[in-house]
Every structure is written in structure tokens, then in C-alpha cells.
Amino acid sequence: MHVREKNMRIHIADRVNFQTEKYVKTTLCAGNFLMVGLNCFEPGQEQHVHDHPDQEKFYYVVSGGGDFQVGSETIRAGAGDLVWAAAGVPHGVRNTGEERLVVLMGIAPPPR
């Protein structure tokens, strides 16, 4: 769902969703310059390494923890940590913990 409203409030906990087959991506809001979404990972699930040549991305760990691949570096991050991937830098996420991983992510500019 792409939401393009001027003013809004989203309660993150209401949007958390998990599936056993694969991690869940939910778009929370999107505008002309930024998209914000929620990625929810069961233990062992991952977002494969990929890149966005013209988009920058951040991951903010809401709960849980995991490994974030950014370029050639693996960054272990937990609740309260922010991970940044510059445009063109390969990146991905893997829930390496025993708890569910909830990540708020932003990408700019948003996918078209």
C-alpha cells in the first residue's frame, strides 16, 4: 500500500506482520522523495544482498537483531541501531538471532 498523504500518524506495532515462508515487507508511507516501510523477519529469514544504483537506504532496528551486509562489511545490529547503505552499495539483512527481527527502513528516492 502506498500512502501519499500530507499528515499522518502510523503506530508501528499495528503494522508488524510475520510469515513462515519468507520475510514480510510492508510500505508504511511513500511520497515523491522518500518511502518508509517495515520489514519483519522470523529467525533465519533474510533479504538477499542487492543494490539500488540511484537510491540510498537506511535500516532502523525496532526489535530483535541480525546481520546487515553493507558492501563487504557485515554489521551486527540490534534494537535502537541504524544501518546506512549509500546508493549503489550492495546490502541485505539476515535475522541471525532467536527472536523476531523488526526493521523500519527508508529508501530515497522511492521506487517508481
Side-chain angles (χ1 to χ4, degrees):
M1 164 190 355
H2 288 279
V3 179
R4 296 180 187 270
E5 297 180 15
K6 236 180 185 173
N7 301 305
M8 60 188 308
R9 177 188 163 274
I10 299 169
H11 188 69
I12 300 297
D14 293 342
R15 302 296 183 92
V16 171
N17 184 21
F18 294 93
Q19 293 181 4
T20 56
E21 304 81 40
K22 63 179 252 180
Y23 83 99
V24 177
K25 293 173 26 171
T26 303
T27 298
L28 300 176
C29 55
N32 293 324
F33 304 102
L34 174 68
M35 181 189 84
V36 177
L38 199 62
N39 295 349
C40 301
F41 301 83
E42 292 282 5
Q45 291 180 338
E46 68 181 299
Q47 175 190 59
H48 295 288
V49 174
H50 63 287
D51 67 14
H52 307 277
D54 300 319
Q55 297 166 303
E56 297 180 310
K57 185 184 252 183
F58 74 82
Y59 297 101
Y60 175 78
V61 181
V62 176
S63 62
D67 289 344
F68 293 75
Q69 185 75 33
V70 181
S72 61
E73 188 176 357
T74 299
I75 301 165
R76 174 129 326 169
D81 289 333
L82 185 127
V83 177
W84 174 264
V89 175
H91 54 277
V93 181
R94 180 170 177 75
N95 183 349
T96 54
E98 296 180 16
E99 298 176 32
R100 290 173 157 176
L101 171 61
V102 178
V103 177
L104 183 72
M105 76 85 197
I107 187 165
R112 301 281 177 211

PDB file of all heavy atoms in Angstrom, residues 58-94:
ATOM      1  N   PHE A  58      18.157   3.317   4.567  1.00  0.00           N
ATOM      2  CA  PHE A  58      18.533   3.097   5.961  1.00  0.00           C
ATOM      3  C   PHE A  58      17.662   2.001   6.537  1.00  0.00           C
ATOM      4  O   PHE A  58      16.545   1.762   6.080  1.00  0.00           O
ATOM      5  CB  PHE A  58      18.415   4.377   6.804  1.00  0.00           C
ATOM      6  CG  PHE A  58      17.001   4.789   7.135  1.00  0.00           C
ATOM      7  CD1 PHE A  58      16.304   4.203   8.191  1.00  0.00           C
ATOM      8  CD2 PHE A  58      16.368   5.775   6.395  1.00  0.00           C
ATOM      9  CE1 PHE A  58      15.005   4.581   8.492  1.00  0.00           C
ATOM     10  CE2 PHE A  58      15.069   6.160   6.692  1.00  0.00           C
ATOM     11  CZ  PHE A  58      14.383   5.556   7.747  1.00  0.00           C
ATOM     12  N   TYR A  59      18.223   1.315   7.526  1.00  0.00           N
ATOM     13  CA  TYR A  59      17.503   0.314   8.311  1.00  0.00           C
ATOM     14  C   TYR A  59      17.600   0.745   9.771  1.00  0.00           C
ATOM     15  O   TYR A  59      18.711   0.957  10.277  1.00  0.00           O
ATOM     16  CB  TYR A  59      18.160  -1.062   8.197  1.00  0.00           C
ATOM     17  CG  TYR A  59      18.200  -1.689   6.835  1.00  0.00           C
ATOM     18  CD1 TYR A  59      19.357  -1.667   6.068  1.00  0.00           C
ATOM     19  CD2 TYR A  59      17.091  -2.360   6.326  1.00  0.00           C
ATOM     20  CE1 TYR A  59      19.415  -2.290   4.836  1.00  0.00           C
ATOM     21  CE2 TYR A  59      17.140  -2.989   5.080  1.00  0.00           C
ATOM     22  CZ  TYR A  59      18.308  -2.946   4.351  1.00  0.00           C
ATOM     23  OH  TYR A  59      18.376  -3.571   3.137  1.00  0.00           O
ATOM     24  N   TYR A  60      16.474   0.844  10.449  1.00  0.00           N
ATOM     25  CA  TYR A  60      16.459   1.133  11.884  1.00  0.00           C
ATOM     26  C   TYR A  60      15.867  -0.090  12.572  1.00  0.00           C
ATOM     27  O   TYR A  60      14.727  -0.478  12.281  1.00  0.00           O
ATOM     28  CB  TYR A  60      15.630   2.381  12.198  1.00  0.00           C
ATOM     29  CG  TYR A  60      15.510   2.620  13.680  1.00  0.00           C
ATOM     30  CD1 TYR A  60      16.564   3.183  14.392  1.00  0.00           C
ATOM     31  CD2 TYR A  60      14.366   2.244  14.373  1.00  0.00           C
ATOM     32  CE1 TYR A  60      16.475   3.375  15.764  1.00  0.00           C
ATOM     33  CE2 TYR A  60      14.266   2.434  15.739  1.00  0.00           C
ATOM     34  CZ  TYR A  60      15.320   3.003  16.419  1.00  0.00           C
ATOM     35  OH  TYR A  60      15.228   3.179  17.778  1.00  0.00           O
ATOM     36  N   VAL A  61      16.631  -0.703  13.469  1.00  0.00           N
ATOM     37  CA  VAL A  61      16.176  -1.915  14.141  1.00  0.00           C
ATOM     38  C   VAL A  61      15.224  -1.531  15.273  1.00  0.00           C
ATOM     39  O   VAL A  61      15.628  -0.894  16.249  1.00  0.00           O
ATOM     40  CB  VAL A  61      17.356  -2.748  14.673  1.00  0.00           C
ATOM     41  CG1 VAL A  61      16.851  -4.017  15.348  1.00  0.00           C
ATOM     42  CG2 VAL A  61      18.331  -3.083  13.545  1.00  0.00           C
ATOM     43  N   VAL A  62      13.962  -1.925  15.121  1.00  0.00           N
ATOM     44  CA  VAL A  62      12.935  -1.661  16.124  1.00  0.00           C
ATOM     45  C   VAL A  62      13.034  -2.685  17.250  1.00  0.00           C
ATOM     46  O   VAL A  62      12.993  -2.334  18.437  1.00  0.00           O
ATOM     47  CB  VAL A  62      11.525  -1.685  15.490  1.00  0.00           C
ATOM     48  CG1 VAL A  62      10.437  -1.508  16.538  1.00  0.00           C
ATOM     49  CG2 VAL A  62      11.409  -0.617  14.407  1.00  0.00           C
ATOM     50  N   SER A  63      13.158  -3.959  16.886  1.00  0.00           N
ATOM     51  CA  SER A  63      13.299  -5.020  17.887  1.00  0.00           C
ATOM     52  C   SER A  63      14.032  -6.203  17.278  1.00  0.00           C
ATOM     53  O   SER A  63      14.055  -6.380  16.061  1.00  0.00           O
ATOM     54  CB  SER A  63      11.928  -5.461  18.415  1.00  0.00           C
ATOM     55  OG  SER A  63      11.136  -6.001  17.382  1.00  0.00           O
ATOM     56  N   GLY A  64      14.642  -7.004  18.140  1.00  0.00           N
ATOM     57  CA  GLY A  64      15.412  -8.137  17.683  1.00  0.00           C
ATOM     58  C   GLY A  64      16.814  -7.710  17.286  1.00  0.00           C
ATOM     59  O   GLY A  64      17.307  -6.660  17.712  1.00  0.00           O
ATOM     60  N   GLY A  65      17.435  -8.509  16.452  1.00  0.00           N
ATOM     61  CA  GLY A  65      18.779  -8.201  15.998  1.00  0.00           C
ATOM     62  C   GLY A  65      19.150  -9.103  14.837  1.00  0.00           C
ATOM     63  O   GLY A  65      18.493 -10.113  14.582  1.00  0.00           O
ATOM     64  N   GLY A  66      20.192  -8.722  14.130  1.00  0.00           N
ATOM     65  CA  GLY A  66      20.613  -9.519  12.998  1.00  0.00           C
ATOM     66  C   GLY A  66      21.881  -8.985  12.373  1.00  0.00           C
ATOM     67  O   GLY A  66      22.504  -8.062  12.892  1.00  0.00           O
ATOM     68  N   ASP A  67      22.240  -9.584  11.254  1.00  0.00           N
ATOM     69  CA  ASP A  67      23.420  -9.177  10.498  1.00  0.00           C
ATOM     70  C   ASP A  67      22.983  -8.407   9.265  1.00  0.00           C
ATOM     71  O   ASP A  67      22.118  -8.864   8.511  1.00  0.00           O
ATOM     72  CB  ASP A  67      24.235 -10.401  10.074  1.00  0.00           C
ATOM     73  CG  ASP A  67      24.949 -11.069  11.241  1.00  0.00           C
ATOM     74  OD1 ASP A  67      25.060 -10.435  12.312  1.00  0.00           O
ATOM     75  OD2 ASP A  67      25.405 -12.210  11.080  1.00  0.00           O
ATOM     76  N   PHE A  68      23.604  -7.260   9.070  1.00  0.00           N
ATOM     77  CA  PHE A  68      23.326  -6.387   7.931  1.00  0.00           C
ATOM     78  C   PHE A  68      24.577  -6.354   7.081  1.00  0.00           C
ATOM     79  O   PHE A  68      25.643  -5.944   7.541  1.00  0.00           O
ATOM     80  CB  PHE A  68      22.962  -4.978   8.409  1.00  0.00           C
ATOM     81  CG  PHE A  68      21.657  -4.930   9.145  1.00  0.00           C
ATOM     82  CD1 PHE A  68      21.552  -5.407  10.441  1.00  0.00           C
ATOM     83  CD2 PHE A  68      20.526  -4.425   8.536  1.00  0.00           C
ATOM     84  CE1 PHE A  68      20.349  -5.381  11.127  1.00  0.00           C
ATOM     85  CE2 PHE A  68      19.308  -4.393   9.207  1.00  0.00           C
ATOM     86  CZ  PHE A  68      19.230  -4.873  10.506  1.00  0.00           C
ATOM     87  N   GLN A  69      24.453  -6.824   5.847  1.00  0.00           N
ATOM     88  CA  GLN A  69      25.564  -6.789   4.908  1.00  0.00           C
ATOM     89  C   GLN A  69      25.517  -5.451   4.193  1.00  0.00           C
ATOM     90  O   GLN A  69      24.504  -5.103   3.580  1.00  0.00           O
ATOM     91  CB  GLN A  69      25.428  -7.935   3.901  1.00  0.00           C
ATOM     92  CG  GLN A  69      26.581  -8.063   2.948  1.00  0.00           C
ATOM     93  CD  GLN A  69      27.793  -8.672   3.616  1.00  0.00           C
ATOM     94  OE1 GLN A  69      27.677  -9.506   4.492  1.00  0.00           O
ATOM     95  NE2 GLN A  69      28.970  -8.247   3.189  1.00  0.00           N
ATOM     96  N   VAL A  70      26.582  -4.675   4.278  1.00  0.00           N
ATOM     97  CA  VAL A  70      26.689  -3.397   3.576  1.00  0.00           C
ATOM     98  C   VAL A  70      28.058  -3.384   2.906  1.00  0.00           C
ATOM     99  O   VAL A  70      29.090  -3.332   3.580  1.00  0.00           O
ATOM    100  CB  VAL A  70      26.530  -2.188   4.524  1.00  0.00           C
ATOM    101  CG1 VAL A  70      26.634  -0.886   3.741  1.00  0.00           C
ATOM    102  CG2 VAL A  70      25.202  -2.257   5.276  1.00  0.00           C
ATOM    103  N   GLY A  71      28.050  -3.471   1.577  1.00  0.00           N
ATOM    104  CA  GLY A  71      29.305  -3.612   0.854  1.00  0.00           C
ATOM    105  C   GLY A  71      29.963  -4.920   1.268  1.00  0.00           C
ATOM    106  O   GLY A  71      29.319  -5.962   1.330  1.00  0.00           O
ATOM    107  N   SER A  72      31.229  -4.863   1.617  1.00  0.00           N
ATOM    108  CA  SER A  72      31.951  -6.067   2.035  1.00  0.00           C
ATOM    109  C   SER A  72      31.905  -6.267   3.549  1.00  0.00           C
ATOM    110  O   SER A  72      32.492  -7.213   4.067  1.00  0.00           O
ATOM    111  CB  SER A  72      33.406  -5.986   1.570  1.00  0.00           C
ATOM    112  OG  SER A  72      34.033  -4.859   2.156  1.00  0.00           O
ATOM    113  N   GLU A  73      31.215  -5.397   4.255  1.00  0.00           N
ATOM    114  CA  GLU A  73      31.179  -5.443   5.718  1.00  0.00           C
ATOM    115  C   GLU A  73      29.880  -6.064   6.227  1.00  0.00           C
ATOM    116  O   GLU A  73      28.798  -5.796   5.705  1.00  0.00           O
ATOM    117  CB  GLU A  73      31.298  -4.013   6.259  1.00  0.00           C
ATOM    118  CG  GLU A  73      31.457  -3.925   7.744  1.00  0.00           C
ATOM    119  CD  GLU A  73      31.663  -2.486   8.211  1.00  0.00           C
ATOM    120  OE1 GLU A  73      31.738  -1.571   7.371  1.00  0.00           O
ATOM    121  OE2 GLU A  73      31.724  -2.306   9.430  1.00  0.00           O
ATOM    122  N   THR A  74      29.989  -6.895   7.266  1.00  0.00           N
ATOM    123  CA  THR A  74      28.830  -7.419   7.968  1.00  0.00           C
ATOM    124  C   THR A  74      28.724  -6.682   9.291  1.00  0.00           C
ATOM    125  O   THR A  74      29.674  -6.677  10.081  1.00  0.00           O
ATOM    126  CB  THR A  74      28.952  -8.936   8.221  1.00  0.00           C
ATOM    127  OG1 THR A  74      29.055  -9.600   6.955  1.00  0.00           O
ATOM    128  CG2 THR A  74      27.743  -9.468   8.967  1.00  0.00           C
ATOM    129  N   ILE A  75      27.567  -6.065   9.503  1.00  0.00           N
ATOM    130  CA  ILE A  75      27.339  -5.261  10.704  1.00  0.00           C
ATOM    131  C   ILE A  75      26.290  -5.959  11.554  1.00  0.00           C
ATOM    132  O   ILE A  75      25.170  -6.187  11.091  1.00  0.00           O
ATOM    133  CB  ILE A  75      26.843  -3.846  10.319  1.00  0.00           C
ATOM    134  CG1 ILE A  75      27.874  -3.151   9.429  1.00  0.00           C
ATOM    135  CG2 ILE A  75      26.520  -3.032  11.562  1.00  0.00           C
ATOM    136  CD1 ILE A  75      27.343  -1.927   8.722  1.00  0.00           C
ATOM    137  N   ARG A  76      26.631  -6.300  12.778  1.00  0.00           N
ATOM    138  CA  ARG A  76      25.654  -6.863  13.719  1.00  0.00           C
ATOM    139  C   ARG A  76      24.942  -5.677  14.364  1.00  0.00           C
ATOM    140  O   ARG A  76      25.576  -4.785  14.903  1.00  0.00           O
ATOM    141  CB  ARG A  76      26.365  -7.690  14.770  1.00  0.00           C
ATOM    142  CG  ARG A  76      25.407  -8.147  15.828  1.00  0.00           C
ATOM    143  CD  ARG A  76      25.383  -9.570  16.162  1.00  0.00           C
ATOM    144  NE  ARG A  76      25.626 -10.458  15.062  1.00  0.00           N
ATOM    145  CZ  ARG A  76      25.853 -11.747  15.212  1.00  0.00           C
ATOM    146  NH1 ARG A  76      25.872 -12.261  16.404  1.00  0.00           N
ATOM    147  NH2 ARG A  76      26.052 -12.520  14.189  1.00  0.00           N
ATOM    148  N   ALA A  77      23.610  -5.656  14.250  1.00  0.00           N
ATOM    149  CA  ALA A  77      22.833  -4.530  14.776  1.00  0.00           C
ATOM    150  C   ALA A  77      21.642  -5.046  15.571  1.00  0.00           C
ATOM    151  O   ALA A  77      21.060  -6.077  15.238  1.00  0.00           O
ATOM    152  CB  ALA A  77      22.357  -3.632  13.631  1.00  0.00           C
ATOM    153  N   GLY A  78      21.288  -4.291  16.617  1.00  0.00           N
ATOM    154  CA  GLY A  78      20.159  -4.640  17.455  1.00  0.00           C
ATOM    155  C   GLY A  78      19.259  -3.444  17.683  1.00  0.00           C
ATOM    156  O   GLY A  78      19.492  -2.352  17.129  1.00  0.00           O
ATOM    157  N   ALA A  79      18.243  -3.638  18.500  1.00  0.00           N
ATOM    158  CA  ALA A  79      17.236  -2.600  18.750  1.00  0.00           C
ATOM    159  C   ALA A  79      17.900  -1.263  19.059  1.00  0.00           C
ATOM    160  O   ALA A  79      18.809  -1.174  19.890  1.00  0.00           O
ATOM    161  CB  ALA A  79      16.329  -3.021  19.893  1.00  0.00           C
ATOM    162  N   GLY A  80      17.452  -0.233  18.345  1.00  0.00           N
ATOM    163  CA  GLY A  80      17.984   1.112  18.527  1.00  0.00           C
ATOM    164  C   GLY A  80      19.114   1.469  17.579  1.00  0.00           C
ATOM    165  O   GLY A  80      19.521   2.629  17.517  1.00  0.00           O
ATOM    166  N   ASP A  81      19.626   0.500  16.815  1.00  0.00           N
ATOM    167  CA  ASP A  81      20.718   0.768  15.877  1.00  0.00           C
ATOM    168  C   ASP A  81      20.176   1.159  14.509  1.00  0.00           C
ATOM    169  O   ASP A  81      19.122   0.676  14.077  1.00  0.00           O
ATOM    170  CB  ASP A  81      21.600  -0.477  15.696  1.00  0.00           C
ATOM    171  CG  ASP A  81      22.440  -0.781  16.923  1.00  0.00           C
ATOM    172  OD1 ASP A  81      22.752   0.154  17.685  1.00  0.00           O
ATOM    173  OD2 ASP A  81      22.781  -1.966  17.114  1.00  0.00           O
ATOM    174  N   LEU A  82      20.917   2.015  13.818  1.00  0.00           N
ATOM    175  CA  LEU A  82      20.589   2.426  12.461  1.00  0.00           C
ATOM    176  C   LEU A  82      21.741   2.023  11.552  1.00  0.00           C
ATOM    177  O   LEU A  82      22.902   2.239  11.894  1.00  0.00           O
ATOM    178  CB  LEU A  82      20.378   3.943  12.396  1.00  0.00           C
ATOM    179  CG  LEU A  82      19.922   4.424  11.023  1.00  0.00           C
ATOM    180  CD1 LEU A  82      18.661   5.261  11.182  1.00  0.00           C
ATOM    181  CD2 LEU A  82      20.995   5.228  10.343  1.00  0.00           C
ATOM    182  N   VAL A  83      21.409   1.407  10.428  1.00  0.00           N
ATOM    183  CA  VAL A  83      22.411   0.978   9.442  1.00  0.00           C
ATOM    184  C   VAL A  83      22.117   1.718   8.144  1.00  0.00           C
ATOM    185  O   VAL A  83      20.964   1.785   7.706  1.00  0.00           O
ATOM    186  CB  VAL A  83      22.353  -0.557   9.230  1.00  0.00           C
ATOM    187  CG1 VAL A  83      23.341  -0.990   8.158  1.00  0.00           C
ATOM    188  CG2 VAL A  83      22.611  -1.294  10.549  1.00  0.00           C
ATOM    189  N   TRP A  84      23.153   2.249   7.505  1.00  0.00           N
ATOM    190  CA  TRP A  84      23.028   3.062   6.301  1.00  0.00           C
ATOM    191  C   TRP A  84      23.674   2.350   5.114  1.00  0.00           C
ATOM    192  O   TRP A  84      24.780   1.808   5.234  1.00  0.00           O
ATOM    193  CB  TRP A  84      23.738   4.390   6.533  1.00  0.00           C
ATOM    194  CG  TRP A  84      23.804   5.279   5.333  1.00  0.00           C
ATOM    195  CD1 TRP A  84      24.839   5.388   4.451  1.00  0.00           C
ATOM    196  CD2 TRP A  84      22.803   6.179   4.887  1.00  0.00           C
ATOM    197  NE1 TRP A  84      24.540   6.313   3.487  1.00  0.00           N
ATOM    198  CE2 TRP A  84      23.288   6.815   3.729  1.00  0.00           C
ATOM    199  CE3 TRP A  84      21.530   6.506   5.345  1.00  0.00           C
ATOM    200  CZ2 TRP A  84      22.552   7.756   3.034  1.00  0.00           C
ATOM    201  CZ3 TRP A  84      20.800   7.451   4.654  1.00  0.00           C
ATOM    202  CH2 TRP A  84      21.316   8.060   3.507  1.00  0.00           C
ATOM    203  N   ALA A  85      23.016   2.366   3.964  1.00  0.00           N
ATOM    204  CA  ALA A  85      23.597   1.858   2.720  1.00  0.00           C
ATOM    205  C   ALA A  85      23.494   2.964   1.671  1.00  0.00           C
ATOM    206  O   ALA A  85      22.388   3.369   1.296  1.00  0.00           O
ATOM    207  CB  ALA A  85      22.860   0.610   2.253  1.00  0.00           C
ATOM    208  N   ALA A  86      24.628   3.461   1.235  1.00  0.00           N
ATOM    209  CA  ALA A  86      24.657   4.523   0.225  1.00  0.00           C
ATOM    210  C   ALA A  86      24.218   3.961  -1.131  1.00  0.00           C
ATOM    211  O   ALA A  86      24.230   2.744  -1.358  1.00  0.00           O
ATOM    212  CB  ALA A  86      26.072   5.098   0.123  1.00  0.00           C
ATOM    213  N   ALA A  87      23.835   4.833  -2.022  1.00  0.00           N
ATOM    214  CA  ALA A  87      23.410   4.442  -3.365  1.00  0.00           C
ATOM    215  C   ALA A  87      24.494   3.597  -4.027  1.00  0.00           C
ATOM    216  O   ALA A  87      25.679   3.924  -3.962  1.00  0.00           O
ATOM    217  CB  ALA A  87      23.112   5.677  -4.202  1.00  0.00           C
ATOM    218  N   GLY A  88      24.069   2.490  -4.636  1.00  0.00           N
ATOM    219  CA  GLY A  88      24.980   1.626  -5.360  1.00  0.00           C
ATOM    220  C   GLY A  88      25.731   0.616  -4.519  1.00  0.00           C
ATOM    221  O   GLY A  88      26.424  -0.242  -5.069  1.00  0.00           O
ATOM    222  N   VAL A  89      25.625   0.692  -3.199  1.00  0.00           N
ATOM    223  CA  VAL A  89      26.342  -0.236  -2.331  1.00  0.00           C
ATOM    224  C   VAL A  89      25.450  -1.458  -2.060  1.00  0.00           C
ATOM    225  O   VAL A  89      24.323  -1.309  -1.594  1.00  0.00           O
ATOM    226  CB  VAL A  89      26.743   0.439  -0.997  1.00  0.00           C
ATOM    227  CG1 VAL A  89      27.390  -0.564  -0.055  1.00  0.00           C
ATOM    228  CG2 VAL A  89      27.672   1.612  -1.257  1.00  0.00           C
ATOM    229  N   PRO A  90      25.933  -2.664  -2.338  1.00  0.00           N
ATOM    230  CA  PRO A  90      25.133  -3.862  -2.071  1.00  0.00           C
ATOM    231  C   PRO A  90      24.819  -3.981  -0.577  1.00  0.00           C
ATOM    232  O   PRO A  90      25.668  -3.683   0.264  1.00  0.00           O
ATOM    233  CB  PRO A  90      26.034  -5.011  -2.529  1.00  0.00           C
ATOM    234  CG  PRO A  90      27.017  -4.381  -3.473  1.00  0.00           C
ATOM    235  CD  PRO A  90      27.221  -2.993  -2.965  1.00  0.00           C
ATOM    236  N   HIS A  91      23.597  -4.430  -0.285  1.00  0.00           N
ATOM    237  CA  HIS A  91      23.171  -4.541   1.111  1.00  0.00           C
ATOM    238  C   HIS A  91      22.101  -5.619   1.248  1.00  0.00           C
ATOM    239  O   HIS A  91      21.412  -5.944   0.290  1.00  0.00           O
ATOM    240  CB  HIS A  91      22.626  -3.195   1.617  1.00  0.00           C
ATOM    241  CG  HIS A  91      21.540  -2.654   0.752  1.00  0.00           C
ATOM    242  ND1 HIS A  91      21.789  -1.936  -0.405  1.00  0.00           N
ATOM    243  CD2 HIS A  91      20.192  -2.754   0.830  1.00  0.00           C
ATOM    244  CE1 HIS A  91      20.647  -1.608  -0.974  1.00  0.00           C
ATOM    245  NE2 HIS A  91      19.648  -2.100  -0.241  1.00  0.00           N
ATOM    246  N   GLY A  92      21.977  -6.153   2.448  1.00  0.00           N
ATOM    247  CA  GLY A  92      20.977  -7.171   2.745  1.00  0.00           C
ATOM    248  C   GLY A  92      20.894  -7.386   4.242  1.00  0.00           C
ATOM    249  O   GLY A  92      21.701  -6.862   5.003  1.00  0.00           O
ATOM    250  N   VAL A  93      19.912  -8.171   4.666  1.00  0.00           N
ATOM    251  CA  VAL A  93      19.641  -8.388   6.095  1.00  0.00           C
ATOM    252  C   VAL A  93      19.404  -9.871   6.331  1.00  0.00           C
ATOM    253  O   VAL A  93      18.741 -10.533   5.530  1.00  0.00           O
ATOM    254  CB  VAL A  93      18.377  -7.612   6.544  1.00  0.00           C
ATOM    255  CG1 VAL A  93      18.111  -7.828   8.018  1.00  0.00           C
ATOM    256  CG2 VAL A  93      18.481  -6.146   6.206  1.00  0.00           C
ATOM    257  N   ARG A  94      19.906 -10.368   7.469  1.00  0.00           N
ATOM    258  CA  ARG A  94      19.618 -11.743   7.885  1.00  0.00           C
ATOM    259  C   ARG A  94      19.362 -11.743   9.388  1.00  0.00           C
ATOM    260  O   ARG A  94      20.162 -11.207  10.153  1.00  0.00           O
ATOM    261  CB  ARG A  94      20.777 -12.667   7.561  1.00  0.00           C
ATOM    262  CG  ARG A  94      20.503 -14.109   7.984  1.00  0.00           C
ATOM    263  CD  ARG A  94      21.561 -15.059   7.439  1.00  0.00           C
ATOM    264  NE  ARG A  94      21.359 -16.411   7.882  1.00  0.00           N
ATOM    265  CZ  ARG A  94      20.425 -17.251   7.436  1.00  0.00           C
ATOM    266  NH1 ARG A  94      19.593 -16.852   6.500  1.00  0.00           N
ATOM    267  NH2 ARG A  94      20.327 -18.467   7.911  1.00  0.00           N
TER     268      ARG A  94
END
